Amino acid sequence: MRYLEYFEKILHFIKDRILVYHGANNPKGLLEVREALENVHKVEDLLPIMKQFNSKTRDGFTVNTKVPSLKDQGKEYDGFTITITGDKVGNILFSVETQTTEERTQLYHAEIDALYKDLTAKGKVLILSAELGEADAVCNLILSLVYYFYNLMPLSRGSSVIAYSVIMGALMASGKEVAGKIPKGKLVDFEAMTAPGSEAFSKIARSWMNLQSISPSYKSLPSVSETFPTLRTMTEVLNADSSRCLKKTIVAV
């Protein structure tokens, strides 16, 4: 049920990809395909249309999203895969999954590395400058970096929470904090995976983050490296009974 918010968006994407495919392989019949797709409002109607206009379609078909590169303009990476299959009695499987290879993973790593280097350089400039433009540039780089991580998704569903924690920590390091909440029904990873590019994702994420200047009181808080100097102490605090902690106890990153 948590993915229901994105059903219509993904359905429209599939229809767009079908038009792109027929535009390249069957331009004469494109108008007919377009008219047929305009009457599609549910997944069950897509498979018959694909069988009608594409002889290669038998039990199902797949479409892939594309993730544009910032590092190499004009280059695209494979995003996630949408699969629709059906059987003779009318059962339909509609699935979304991320498939990766070593080559794909390395391409994303190269993109993330380039963004991280740029973020490090911009962060140093931000320390010496109070201009709003520099802060915005750093924020966009942070969100762009996480955009590619979300589309790579090398771990599990827990990756989404980890990445959002990284966003909040990186923004704190830049002098900003997230005061807003993720809207009900929204999933940050799916926002990134269905966005047409990193700029679009940054715009969406910033619309609900309600970024504010970080409180000066954070500077008086103890640092993580001094409070938890070893891997053992870090592991111990992760396994601590948080119910005994004061609600206002915070350790600065």
Side-chain angles (χ1 to χ4, degrees), residues 79-185:
F80 63 89
T81 302
I82 303 166
T83 303
I84 298 177
T85 57
D87 57 26
K88 294 181 180 179
V89 296
N91 294 317
I92 297 290
L93 175 64
F94 178 42
S95 64
V96 173
E97 59 184 344
T98 301
Q99 301 172 337
T100 197
T101 61
E102 183 177 353
E103 180 183 2
R104 176 182 180 274
T105 300
Q106 292 304 320
L107 289 171
Y108 273 88
H109 281 191
E111 190 79 29
I112 291 171
D113 286 344
L115 280 167
Y116 188 78
K117 289 178 181 178
D118 199 7
L119 177 60
T120 303
K122 287 286 196 305
K124 292 177 180 178
V125 173
L126 180 62
I127 294 174
L128 304 174
S129 173
E131 293 185 13
L132 182 62
E134 295 294 344
D136 284 343
V138 167
C139 178
N140 288 334
L141 281 170
I142 292 169
L143 292 171
S144 294
L145 188 150
V146 176
Y147 164 79
Y148 288 100
F149 178 82
Y150 276 133
N151 277 282
L152 173 60
M153 289 299 281
L155 301 175
S156 64
R157 287 294 305 168
S159 303
S160 180
V161 178
I162 293 169
Y164 198 68
S165 299
V166 169
I167 291 175
M168 298 180 74
L171 287 170
M172 287 175 67
S174 72
K176 298 287 184 180
E177 63 177 327
V178 177
K181 294 182 178 180
I182 301 171
K184 185 178 180 181

